[in-house]
Amino acid sequence: MCAIEAAEHGVRSLVLEAGPKPGRKLLAAGSGRCNLAHAGSIESYLEGFDTKAARFLKPSAYLLSPEKTMDFFESLHVPLKTERGFRVFPQSDKSLDVLEALLKKTVNTGVIFKTSGKVLSVKKQSQLFEIKTVSDLYISKTVIIATGGLSMKRTGSTGDGYRIAKTFGHTVTGLRASLVPLITKESWPGEVSGRSLKNVKLKAVVDSKRFERFGEMSFTDNGIGGPITLEMSRFVTDKLLDNSEPVRFEIDLKPALDEKKLDARLMREIESSPSRDFIGILHTLVPSWFADVLVRHFGFNPAVKVSHITKNDRFRLRNLLKAIPLTVLKTAPIEQALITRGGISLSEIDPHTMMSKLSPGLYFAGEIIDVDGDCGGYNLQMCWSTGKLAGKSAAESLKHSV
């Protein structure tokens, strides 16, 4: 996006790609489906970030809004669709279609790609940058660093951009996993690894602040994952790392029912089938595989007749269905994270141009900056918007310098 925008402003653009092929991380986005944007308004898009980040991203969002992003990809002949939560995907559900459309656009605008061009160093001599790769030396008046973070290193995000930025005096804030599975103290999630629960609510309290997300979650070999878990991870990663204290989570299996209505539901089930076993009643309330978890790990007798269930047992079941406890110890490794939390300090970047405040001619775009948002297209939208702004600003600075 940086290179396309600069080229469309009449500036020669060269992309130095460290890997043998470009866009490997884009191919992995959205589990290979590429959730490429958030279809809401500019305001709702900015709500996917914390207050400081949203304020920083505002100029780029108005340059390339979610609506304009969708128009851009449609113009590249990538038909789009919008799913629950304003998530935008290609109609084909293939990330490859998005990548190929972008690469075709770069070729059509005259952008040059240099693959296997890992940058070893960037130095500034007078008003020019010297960019040294494994095989070549390039001279340029402007440089845009859009190397991503540390997440999904297998796709090429190895932190090179941070190293280069530091040589220009930039501060790199603490780098942590975000949008990442969580590891629990409890071992029972591993017994149902690969299984998912839909239409549930995941809750946690961090430093007296209550966070919750509704939707789908899954279980892993050592904890929990899935969309709402990844979203919740943003709010606990700092707590887990800074204080090394576990965070208590709760799963609400019946978020549409308050305790009174759920109790009434349990009473109806009991009164309608007094001779049924407890496990039979439980199967009407939760998936059978999860019912087995509840009886194995939370002290219920699956064979007891419903008519023998005490009031206290009923209340205990009701409370458990509304708040299954989990103790989150840490996040999964950053390699498993979708994005990186932390990056180039926002105070050192001009949000109106994406140019470094420390070194004129140096720009940043995308995940390398200290911004991370919710699941749902927010982070790729941020990449497109900041990329377009950086490309535009770099091109205009060159025109003004001629």
Side-chain angles (χ1 to χ4, degrees), residues 201-214 228 231-237 239 247-250 341 374:
K201 184 179 287 185
L202 194 59
K203 301 177 284 187
V205 177
V206 180
D207 295 331
S208 300
K209 294 182 180 179
R210 185 178 184 85
F211 300 98
E212 58 184 44
R213 285 293 188 271
F214 172 83
I228 60 175
E231 290 188 16
M232 290 287 284
S233 72
R234 290 185 60 224
F235 309 118
V236 302
T237 184
K239 177 77 171 179
V247 176
R248 179 184 170 89
F249 274 62
E250 294 177 348
R341 186 172 177 84
D374 275 341

Side-chain angles (χ1 to χ4, degrees), residues 156-177:
S157 295
T158 55
D160 290 344
Y162 302 129
R163 172 180 54 79
I164 295 168
K166 286 181 178 178
T167 66
F168 289 91
H170 277 282
T171 304
V172 178
T173 62
L175 303 174
R176 298 166 183 187

Side-chain angles (χ1 to χ4, degrees), residues 313-378:
D313 286 338
R314 190 181 83 240
F315 282 176
R316 191 162 68 88
L317 176 59
R318 178 201 65 188
N319 294 340
L320 182 64
L321 292 175
K322 292 295 291 180
I324 297 174
L326 281 170
T327 309
V328 172
L329 300 176
K330 57 184 178 179
T331 69
I334 198 167
E335 166 59 26
Q336 297 180 35
L338 297 185
I339 61 171
T340 304
R341 186 172 177 84
I344 308 302
S345 174
L346 299 185
S347 64
E348 298 170 358
I349 305 172
D350 183 345
H352 299 282
T353 62
M354 301 305 298
M355 188 171 76
S356 164
K357 293 180 180 179
L358 307 183
S359 183
L362 180 65
Y363 297 79
F364 299 97
E367 190 184 351
I368 192 171
I369 65 178
D370 183 14
V371 166
D372 63 293
D374 275 341
C375 280
Y378 295 93

Side-chain angles (χ1 to χ4, degrees), residues 8-67:
E8 290 191 332
H9 278 74
V11 171
R12 294 178 63 195
S13 300
L14 170 68
V15 177
L16 297 175
E17 165 62 51
K21 293 182 180 180
R24 285 183 295 170
K25 194 165 188 178
L26 186 63
L27 289 177
S31 299
R33 295 178 61 214
C34 198
N35 180 189
L36 60 85
H38 167 80
S41 64
I42 291 175
E43 290 72 22
S44 67
Y45 154 65
L46 292 174
E47 286 174 0
F49 302 87
D50 63 38
T51 303
K52 182 180 179 182
R55 186 165 53 246
F56 178 88
L57 292 174
K58 201 169 184 178
S60 62
Y62 275 92
L63 176 67
L64 185 67
S65 66
E67 181 180 4

